Amino acid sequence: MKQVALRTLLSAAALLLVAAPATAQQTVRIMTSPSGSGPYNAFAAIQTHMEQFSKTLRLKVEETSGFNFNVKAMATQPNRHKDTLFGSGSVLDWAAKTGLAPFYLKPLPNAEDFRIVAVLGLSYNVWVTLNPEIRTPSDFVGRRVGIGLLTQNEWGMHQRMLLDGWKLTPKLTSLDTLGTSPNIEALLDGRTDVGTLFGVTSADGKHTVVSGPHRQIEASNRDWRYVQVPAEMMEEYNKKTGAPFRIVKYEPNVLPNQPDPLVTFGDLLLLEAHVSFPEELAAELIRVMVKNYDKIAQYNAFTKAWTPATLAYGASENPDAFHPGSLRAFRELGLMETAVR
């Protein structure tokens, strides 16, 4: 009788173990940028390896036409607020919350509730040219300027904002919104006089990552150069509008074909979410990116700038701008000076 009872007990226990649910997996969608771009390729590489990084989190990376598109889409699709992260930027975030024509005729609904999940780098935007007479944006008058798409903040929106603010747009022969590689192809083919490029630097300045189009012009064997953007021009624009553009200064030889000091502009490249996005999912992604940084940086060159200190850049000084889940993870990982919530 005792043996029968024991067998019955063991059978019941086995049934309970079989019936017990496995650790629940949740998939988070990430709206990034066009296929082939740095952020898209980086998150696609991480997505492929998520099974070894986390038991609970999976990623689904979505190609979009750019970060400017992402912000508008997320503001008008509240059904995605609890399962989607999206690429953004500090200047774009400001423009959406403030209202800046022609991109945002008024503050974008829901944008006030967007929060930073991680900082993906300190960006730089540079204009490049083959014409030695073009030294600063003031020399763009009467020239053909090629940029990225206006749905892209780093490649198109920033450039249009500044050219408008400096009242240079109507003085150009043309402003062609071509895309990332096409704008450099047009420059090399002689169809434009000025092109634009983008890249990121880590918070400590040790890792500066250039984009594919940057390598494209580097490999062209042409006599090209960077356009200097005087700090005074950026200071005047920021003061007039309230925009948070960074003034970027690089010592010689940080970027390809850069023998001289370079002054230009940039912002913070961001991964954002609505404040209602689940805290644990945001925290788990931060844990994955911090704990596996060395591996991730081997999978994709763009992620070398995603050092732990870069991901948490500004969180100690401005915690209200960050998502609560990220703040929790930053504290757990010792990346915040104070535990502010």
Side-chain angles (χ1 to χ4, degrees):
M1 182 67 70
K2 289 182 178 180
Q3 289 180 341
V4 173
L6 180 59
R7 284 197 297 270
T8 302
L9 182 62
L10 291 174
S11 297
L15 287 171
L16 287 173
L17 288 173
V18 171
T23 302
Q25 293 181 358
Q26 292 182 272
T27 298
V28 169
R29 298 188 287 182
I30 300 183
M31 297 175 66
T32 54
S33 45
S35 177
S37 65
Y40 177 88
N41 288 346
F43 278 114
I46 296 173
Q47 170 185 288
T48 304
H49 298 276
M50 282 302 293
E51 288 189 5
Q52 73 182 82
F53 294 154
S54 175
K55 294 180 180 179
T56 59
L57 182 62
R58 297 294 180 265
L59 301 181
K60 182 179 180 181
V61 183
E62 299 181 359
E63 176 189 4
T64 73
S65 58
F67 286 7
N68 192 18
F69 170 89
N70 296 348
V71 170
K72 292 179 180 178
M74 287 298 294
T76 57
Q77 298 181 47
N79 59 306
R80 302 195 63 169
H81 287 172
K82 294 188 177 182
D83 74 350
T84 303
L85 304 174
F86 58 97
S88 182
S90 53
V91 171
L92 171 57
D93 188 83
W94 165 81
K97 293 175 180 177
T98 305
L100 179 73
F103 303 98
Y104 303 96
L105 300 182
K106 58 183 179 180
L108 192 65
N110 290 314
E112 282 294 335
D113 293 324
F114 293 160
R115 298 290 184 273
I116 300 169
V117 174
V119 175
L120 304 179
L122 284 63
S123 83
Y124 67 83
N125 302 145
V126 288
W127 275 298
V128 288
T129 183
L130 278 64
N131 188 336
E133 296 180 358
I134 301 176
R135 299 181 178 85
T136 74
S138 298
D139 298 319
F140 291 175
V141 175
R143 312 288 187 179
R144 301 161 299 169
V145 176
I147 60 177
L149 303 177
L150 295 183
T151 51
Q152 301 175 287
N153 63 325
E154 301 282 356
W155 290 92
M157 179 183 181
H158 290 176
Q159 293 77 5
R160 175 65 189 273
M161 288 170 60
L162 292 171
L163 292 172
D164 285 356
W166 294 328
K167 302 186 184 307
L168 288 173
T169 304
K171 299 178 182 179
L172 306 176
T173 296
S174 65
L175 179 62
D176 301 306
T177 55
L178 302 171
T180 52
S181 291
N183 102 84
I184 295 301
E185 292 167 2
L187 175 65
L188 295 175
D189 291 347
R191 290 179 281 121
T192 59
D193 302 301
V194 179
T196 192
L197 295 168
F198 145 83
V200 292
T201 297
S202 58
D204 60 9
K206 292 183 179 179
H207 303 283
T208 295
V209 184
V210 303
S211 61
H214 211 144
R215 294 302 185 196
Q216 181 181 2
I217 193 171
E218 181 187 17
S220 69
N221 199 31
R222 303 287 294 278
D223 184 17
W224 60 279
R225 64 202 66 217
Y226 297 98
V227 175
Q228 298 282 347
V229 182
E232 297 77 18
M233 293 185 73
M234 296 308 306
E235 290 167 354
E236 179 184 359
Y237 182 89
N238 284 345
K239 183 178 180 181
K240 178 180 178 180
T241 64
F245 276 111
R246 296 173 49 251
I247 297 172
V248 179
K249 297 181 179 180
Y250 284 137
E251 295 298 320
N253 302 313
V254 174
L255 301 180
N257 192 37
Q258 189 223 330
D260 302 313
L262 175 65
V263 181
T264 187
F265 61 97
D267 71 339
L268 301 181
L269 196 72
L270 304 177
L271 183 67
E272 289 196 317
H274 191 268
V275 69
S276 65
F277 184 83
E279 289 190 25
E280 179 53 29
L281 294 181
E284 179 65 3
L285 179 61
I286 295 299
R287 295 185 197 109
V288 165
M289 295 176 73
V290 170
K291 294 179 179 180
N292 299 283
Y293 168 74
D294 290 336
K295 292 180 181 179
I296 290 172
Q298 296 300 315
Y299 298 146
N300 181 274
F302 197 81
T303 62
K304 291 183 184 296
W306 298 1
T307 63
T310 303
L311 299 177
Y313 184 83
S316 296
E317 297 78 13
N318 190 20
D320 290 343
F322 282 76
H323 192 279
S326 297
L327 294 178
R328 184 206 305 175
F330 292 150
R331 290 195 299 270
E332 291 175 5
L333 298 164
L335 296 175
M336 289 188 66
E337 297 175 359
T338 56
V340 180
R341 169 68 191 277

